[in-house]
Amino acid sequence: MENVKKTILSGIKPTGNLNIGGYLGAVKNWIKMQDDYNCLYCIADLHSLTIRIDPSVLRKNSIELFALYLACGLDPEKNTIFFQSHVTQHAELAWVLDCYTMFGELSRMTQFKDKSAKNAENINAGLFTYPVLMAADILLYQANLVPVGEDQTQHVEICRDIANRFNGVYGEVFTLPEAYTPKVGARVKSLTNPSAKMSKSDDDDNGTVNLLDPRDVVIRKFRKAVTDSEACVRYAPGKDGINNLMSIYSAVTGKSFEDIEKEFDGKGYGDFKLAVGEAVSDMLAGIQDKYKVYTSDRAQLEAIYRQGADRARYIANKTLTKVYKKVGLIAK
Ligand code: TYM
């Protein structure tokens, strides 16, 4: 029978530790999708080069993130899991797409504006064309859906624009993808600065809960989380800290905001913060156990990522060959 499953592609940059923002915003959705879709997940290692990163740190982060993908529950038999740099077609398609992407549209990207404001000394061309490489990641596999957190939806939009422009000139070469974000957890905020997103690059370690943080550290970080002076657990405008904690608790336990308000009716923030910390640590305990098993067998990890790259390369090559032919390059 013809394979009618839709295709999913997503990725994470190994610029730091994976935190609960990336997990609740993206990876949790990936796990749910593995039975019903053709899923491809990359470690976006080429994207990491847009910031200065020590090579040994990048290598360590990359392998750790790969093991975390597996530990979070991605089954390598059901999903194609690979390093972006192992499939050279990503960089090759990115070059072609660069020539179909406008300077003006890249200048409007929020992430580019934020990152260049924060790193004025290193506004490199890679940072500027970052969304084009991401578009190549997605379009090479003709992905229908891209499960990401809210901060990446603008990049999926520009990917559609690039694909549309290319298709307009050469016919239906690329499938137009759509972003897929979770109902709660699409924008997890920093625990210490709840108006900003929880981020790998946050200098304040207390704002970010990493998937590999031990239980006592997780509980401590939630205990210290910034809230307000109202001391009433309810979701309301202006209560950024509590809204964030409620969203995290809801995403982890599946409870609605209404249920949470009832559960903590008459209780203080201390009880609530402890409950969120415990729920998050319980969730992380299973991931951390599996992580230890995966990282203890380097040969198995290598076999999985090589097989993943082989599978990905086969599909990527089909798309790239078509693109090269369409634009008029001579076949090899
Ligand atoms: P990255 O590495 O910054 O983040 C990885 C994923 O986690 C989501 N995320 C969050 N979701 C909710 N709350 C947060 N605080 C939070 N922080 C991160 C991100 O939205 C993302 O889904 N450019 C991408 C990586 C990438 C990619 C791709 C994604 C490269 N190629 C192709 C999709 C398709 C990035 O920097 O994600």
Side-chain angles (χ1 to χ4, degrees):
M1 203 181 95
E2 202 194 337
N3 185 352
V4 288
K5 281 185 178 177
K6 286 190 170 172
T7 297
I8 301 266
L9 178 124
S10 198
I12 300 180
K13 286 189 305 287
T15 42
N17 294 315
L18 184 58
N19 62 50
I20 59 166
Y23 179 76
L24 298 174
V27 181
K28 200 163 170 239
N29 262 343
W30 303 0
I31 312 300
K32 286 193 219 145
M33 293 169 135
Q34 53 189 339
D35 290 318
D36 302 322
Y37 296 87
N38 286 321
C39 299
L40 299 112
Y41 297 110
C42 68
I43 304 282
D45 49 2
L46 294 173
H47 276 110
S48 299
L49 304 178
T50 52
I51 59 160
R52 286 284 165 271
I53 181 163
D54 183 287
S56 60
V57 172
L58 178 58
R59 266 190 291 275
K60 180 171 169 287
N61 287 349
S62 299
I63 205 75
E64 279 183 9
L65 184 56
F66 192 83
L68 267 176
Y69 276 15
L70 301 170
C72 287
L74 284 186
D75 178 345
E77 292 307 317
K78 294 183 186 163
N79 304 275
T80 298
I81 319 171
F82 61 102
F83 287 100
Q84 182 190 35
S85 63
H86 291 183
V87 181
T88 54
Q89 287 82 356
H90 289 242
E92 293 176 77
L93 181 61
W95 171 254
V96 177
L97 298 180
D98 271 337
C99 304
Y100 294 82
T101 308
M102 299 303 136
F103 185 89
E105 59 189 342
L106 287 177
S107 316
R108 287 192 290 277
M109 291 292 109
T110 310
Q111 187 169 298
F112 173 68
K113 288 192 272 187
D114 287 352
K115 298 222 161 164
S116 28
K118 278 190 198 139
N119 300 291
E121 73 297 340
N122 187 23
I123 308 176
N124 59 71
L127 196 65
F128 189 62
T129 59
Y130 179 113
V132 188
L133 177 58
M134 182 162 155
D137 299 341
I138 297 167
L139 299 177
L140 271 178
Y141 303 98
Q142 310 289 358
N144 304 95
L145 286 180
V146 184
V148 283
E150 222 170 81
D151 62 324
Q152 293 299 316
T153 53
Q154 193 184 38
H155 288 162
V156 180
E157 282 307 310
I158 195 177
C159 169
R160 280 176 73 91
D161 294 341
I162 299 167
N164 244 327
R165 185 173 299 129
F166 195 93
N167 286 353
V169 181
Y170 300 104
E172 294 305 299
V173 178
F174 296 124
T175 302
L176 298 187
E178 269 174 53
Y180 180 84
T181 51
K183 284 204 183 70
V184 272
R187 184 173 278 276
V188 176
K189 306 286 179 53
S190 155
L191 298 189
T192 48
N193 176 14
S195 57
K197 119 177 154 165
M198 185 179 284
S199 157
K200 287 188 279 246
S201 55
D202 196 341
D203 293 333
D204 182 2
D205 188 47
N206 285 323
T208 306
V209 177
N210 296 315
L211 294 203
L212 296 176
D213 279 349
R215 190 175 182 89
D216 57 324
V217 173
V218 175
I219 306 262
R220 176 172 50 76
K221 286 182 179 176
F222 278 102
R223 191 155 40 81
K224 286 190 175 169
V226 167
T227 48
D228 54 71
S229 55
E230 194 194 30
C232 171
V233 179
R234 66 183 184 98
Y235 198 93
K239 287 169 69 76
D240 291 352
I242 284 295
N243 294 348
N244 187 37
L245 295 180
M246 285 181 73
S247 301
I248 294 172
Y249 193 58
S250 169
V252 172
T253 61
K255 294 177 186 170
S256 66
F257 289 158
E258 213 185 343
D259 290 343
I260 299 171
E261 286 172 4
K262 274 193 206 133
E263 185 179 346
F264 293 94
D265 188 25
K267 294 187 184 156
Y269 285 164
D271 289 338
F272 178 51
K273 287 178 179 181
L274 181 64
V276 185
E278 284 180 338
V280 170
S281 342
D282 289 348
M283 172 185 86
L284 297 184
I287 295 174
Q288 293 174 359
D289 287 346
K290 286 198 210 133
Y291 176 80
K292 275 188 214 130
V293 176
Y294 279 114
T295 43
S296 66
D297 189 348
R298 179 68 185 234
Q300 187 198 20
L301 286 180
E302 285 176 10
I304 297 172
Y305 67 64
R306 292 216 173 94
Q307 186 196 46
D310 286 346
R311 283 197 224 148
R313 209 175 285 120
Y314 176 78
I315 309 167
N317 200 44
K318 276 201 210 169
T319 305
L320 187 70
T321 305
K322 190 169 177 186
V323 167
Y324 276 1
K325 191 171 169 195
K326 288 280 184 186
V327 297
L329 303 182
I330 305 278
K332 284 187 227 172

